[in-house]
Amino acid sequence: MANMENQIVELSDVLPLIFAELNKNKEQQREIEEILATKHKILRGTFAEILVNYERIDQLNQEELIILVNVLFDVTQDTRIKPTNFYNNREITKANKYQQEKAPVLQFPYTFNSVIAAPSGRDYVTIMDVRELRDLWFSKILTYNFNTQRLSKKKLLKNSKISEKADVNMKSVKNIARLMLEGKFKADTILLNILVDGNDNIEYSDGELTIHEGTTINLIDGMHRLQGMIAALEENPDLEGFINVAIKHYPLEEAQFLLGQINTVNRFDKTLVKHYMAETIGAQITKDLMNIPELKNRISIKTTLDKKLNFYTNFAILSEAIDSIFEPQNNKDRYDITEVLKKFFGYLVPSFENELEKNKKEVAKISWINHHNLFVGFVVIAKKLYDKYGKDFPVDEIVRIINGIDLSRSEGSKFNDLMTTQGKVNSNKVKKQIREFFEVEVDSLLA
């Protein structure tokens, strides 16, 4: 069998291009919907949803994805989407016989039964039939939130947009399905969260937890188990199975903290845990900074930076620098420092757009300015300007100071000597040396 994950990676380049053209052709859209519905019993409107929301494609199983590719090719005759480019003949033949199992379409208000509530009124537990979880997923009452899950797979598309999809290990899914079909799967606990976002509306009474229209329910731990259940039920629709379910009623920040807390066996990336738990004020400030236009999608929540996605630095480097250099103590400090750093990076990034983004590779050959650890130095500059001028510091000083420091990779550069120790010296020691270097240089330039 062809590798499913590799197929998706290859398809992710082709599908957006095909969809862009189909968006202009209503007749072909209707034809695709008709074939999917009549030949394969796939719910009408599924393809329309995928055109509007590309991530919806992640909810298709392997056969449905192959069917979609097949139908796209039959209707468009576009050789870029020819099924044999991605699948072998056995997979295509098997998919052609597939018809979607009609799962009940569930609607709000939806009631969970046999629920036990904790005194907090925010924590619940129950046991659910695997079919019920499947039906909740296909009815889109149960949803996937990238902000409360393991690291997603991101890919830079040819239109310069970033696609994001759930990082699902198909080998794990198949193994779970196999164990369920063999009656060997041991039910552990899946974790759901009813998101507290101002639109949530729930009621609990005598073991019944009712969820009303407008409320968001996120699957925050158990994606592989859920997909394994769905795969097992596709193979054996009469399969019986139950699983423990913990249901929380938390705002996003608390759900993230919880996910970091339960990260024990299959460990998350350590930087992602810091991002989710955000226990320090520096981490909270960094979360705020990640929303400004200049830093949006530029601060990685994964320790290793993906060069293709053009991240400037990662969450741990920036948050730890803010904590150690600004030393915030309370909420007043948090808001003051956030204001200062929003102004600082809001000016710095466009001022050095060539160095940080447009000509990054070429600049990196002669300068350290776009190295991810340089954000330690940038935070030092921001702190020194704040100490001298307060929140109304002159922004043109940012450019003067950075241009006044020798960040070249040339021999004889003190900073080059420091940075070339990376890989040989503990990274925390290197960041400490960067901080000390910048403190001396900036003090000299501000004297």
Side-chain angles (χ1 to χ4, degrees):
M1 181 176 289
N3 185 293
M4 181 64 179
E5 290 185 301
N6 287 343
Q7 292 164 10
I8 293 174
V9 170
E10 293 166 4
L11 282 172
S12 67
D13 283 330
V14 177
L15 287 173
L17 302 176
I18 303 295
F19 291 164
E21 293 180 12
L22 280 167
N23 267 316
K24 305 170 188 174
N25 194 323
K26 297 295 183 184
E27 185 177 339
Q28 286 189 335
Q29 288 179 39
R30 284 191 289 271
E31 187 178 352
I32 291 167
E33 287 278 17
E34 184 66 22
I35 296 171
L36 291 173
T38 56
K39 184 177 179 182
H40 300 287
K41 308 301 182 187
I42 291 175
L43 193 66
R44 289 184 187 275
T46 298
F47 181 62
E49 288 181 31
I50 292 171
L51 282 180
V52 174
N53 178 18
Y54 182 76
E55 280 69 34
R56 173 69 173 83
I57 206 165
D58 297 327
Q59 294 185 12
L60 302 181
N61 61 37
Q62 182 174 1
E63 285 81 8
E64 289 165 351
L65 185 56
I66 297 172
I67 287 166
L68 177 62
V69 171
N70 218 14
V71 175
L72 288 174
F73 177 68
D74 287 344
V75 172
T76 66
Q77 290 299 299
D78 191 320
T79 55
R80 292 175 297 176
I81 198 69
K82 191 173 182 179
T84 51
N85 291 343
F86 309 104
Y87 304 100
N88 61 44
N89 289 328
R90 186 171 63 83
E91 290 171 319
I92 294 169
T93 301
K94 181 183 176 184
N96 278 334
K97 299 175 183 176
Y98 172 87
Q99 289 192 339
Q100 190 178 68
E101 177 73 17
K102 281 195 174 181
V105 178
L106 307 179
Q107 296 179 331
F108 289 109
Y110 186 80
T111 299
F112 293 91
N113 297 302
S114 303
V115 177
I116 299 172
S120 66
R122 304 195 311 150
D123 303 274
Y124 307 88
V125 292
T126 188
I127 297 175
M128 294 177 64
D129 189 310
V130 293
R131 292 184 187 81
E132 184 178 4
L133 278 168
R134 174 203 61 188
D135 298 346
L136 286 168
W137 179 256
F138 283 133
S139 299
K140 289 177 260 182
I141 289 177
L142 180 59
T143 57
Y144 189 95
N145 187 336
F146 286 109
N147 290 317
T148 53
Q149 269 289 355
R150 297 175 185 271
L151 289 170
S152 59
K153 285 185 177 179
K154 293 183 179 179
K155 183 177 178 65
L156 188 64
L157 302 177
K158 292 180 180 178
N159 60 5
S160 297
K161 291 185 178 180
I162 295 176
S163 72
E164 187 172 22
K165 67 181 293 297
D167 188 1
V168 175
N169 185 323
M170 292 307 298
K171 185 177 179 181
S172 294
V173 170
K174 290 175 183 176
N175 188 51
I176 291 168
R178 177 183 61 79
L179 290 172
M180 290 194 70
L181 291 165
E182 294 174 357
K184 297 177 181 178
F185 181 73
K186 305 304 179 188
D188 52 0
T189 303
I190 278 182
L191 185 58
L192 312 183
N193 183 53
I194 301 166
L195 187 64
V196 177
D197 61 359
N199 297 312
D200 49 305
N201 182 5
I202 71 172
E203 294 178 71
Y204 177 78
S205 177
D206 296 327
E208 293 188 344
L209 179 63
T210 301
I211 317 297
H212 293 279
E213 185 80 41
T215 306
T216 297
I217 310 175
N218 293 145
L219 170 68
I220 65 173
D221 187 51
M223 182 63 167
H224 286 85
R225 281 165 285 169
L226 175 62
Q227 295 303 317
M229 292 171 202
I230 291 170
L233 286 166
E234 284 170 356
E235 190 162 334
N236 179 10
D238 298 322
L239 181 71
E240 292 186 359
F242 297 87
I243 193 161
N244 305 326
V245 179
I247 305 172
K248 306 297 181 181
H249 187 205
Y250 293 171
L252 180 63
E253 293 79 7
E254 287 188 50
Q256 290 178 331
F257 185 94
L258 173 63
L259 198 55
Q261 177 183 301
I262 64 174
N263 164 42
T264 53
V265 180
N266 296 314
R267 298 191 76 73
F268 285 15
D269 180 279
K270 62 183 180 180
T271 299
L272 177 64
V273 173
K274 289 179 181 179
H275 171 71
Y276 277 173
M277 298 188 77
E279 292 185 279
T280 69
I281 296 177
Q284 294 161 7
I285 292 169
T286 303
K287 276 193 170 185
D288 291 336
L289 292 175
M290 289 169 70
N291 289 319
I292 68 172
E294 293 77 15
L295 295 181
K296 194 172 183 66
N297 293 322
R298 291 291 179 260
I299 307 298
S300 173
I301 56 175
K302 185 177 180 181
T303 303
T304 304
L305 302 183
D306 188 332
K307 293 180 180 179
K308 293 179 182 177
L309 299 180
N310 201 25
F311 289 118
Y312 298 153
T313 189
N314 72 34
F315 184 88
I317 291 170
L318 183 53
S319 62
E320 288 168 9
I322 294 169
D323 276 320
S324 64
I325 294 166
F326 275 90
E327 298 182 325
Q329 302 297 313
N330 50 45
N331 267 339
K332 179 184 181 302
D333 291 344
R334 173 186 173 182
Y335 295 128
D336 286 344
I337 296 166
T338 300
E339 185 179 343
V340 168
L341 290 175
K342 281 183 176 180
K343 177 180 176 181
F344 179 85
F345 287 114
Y347 192 84
L348 178 144
V349 171
S351 297
F352 291 92
E353 189 176 28
N354 183 60
E355 292 84 351
L356 294 174
E357 188 164 342
K358 288 187 175 179
N359 201 23
K360 187 173 184 176
K361 287 184 180 179
E362 291 304 311
V363 170
K365 295 175 183 177
I366 59 173
S367 173
W368 292 100
I369 191 169
N370 53 36
H371 190 276
H372 52 273
N373 280 335
L374 253 291
F375 270 69
V376 175
F378 294 154
V379 174
V380 169
I381 297 172
K383 177 64 161 62
K384 293 291 184 181
L385 288 172
Y386 179 48
D387 288 345
K388 181 169 183 178
Y389 298 105
K391 287 189 281 188
D392 294 325
F393 62 88
V395 289
D396 54 357
E397 282 287 82
I398 298 170
V399 177
R400 184 183 74 83
I401 290 169
I402 292 176
N403 287 337
I405 300 173
D406 183 4
L407 300 176
S408 68
R409 289 179 180 258
S410 59
E411 289 187 21
S413 162
K414 291 181 181 179
F415 193 67
N416 185 62
D417 293 342
L418 184 163
M419 294 296 281
T420 52
T421 63
Q422 293 188 104
K424 306 170 189 175
V425 177
N426 180 280
S427 100
N428 287 330
K429 184 176 180 181
V430 171
K431 285 181 274 191
K432 183 173 181 288
Q433 291 172 337
I434 292 172
R435 174 181 174 177
E436 291 169 349
F437 174 87
F438 268 81
E439 285 175 341
V440 172
E441 293 292 317
V442 178
D443 281 342
S444 174
L445 289 164
L446 286 175

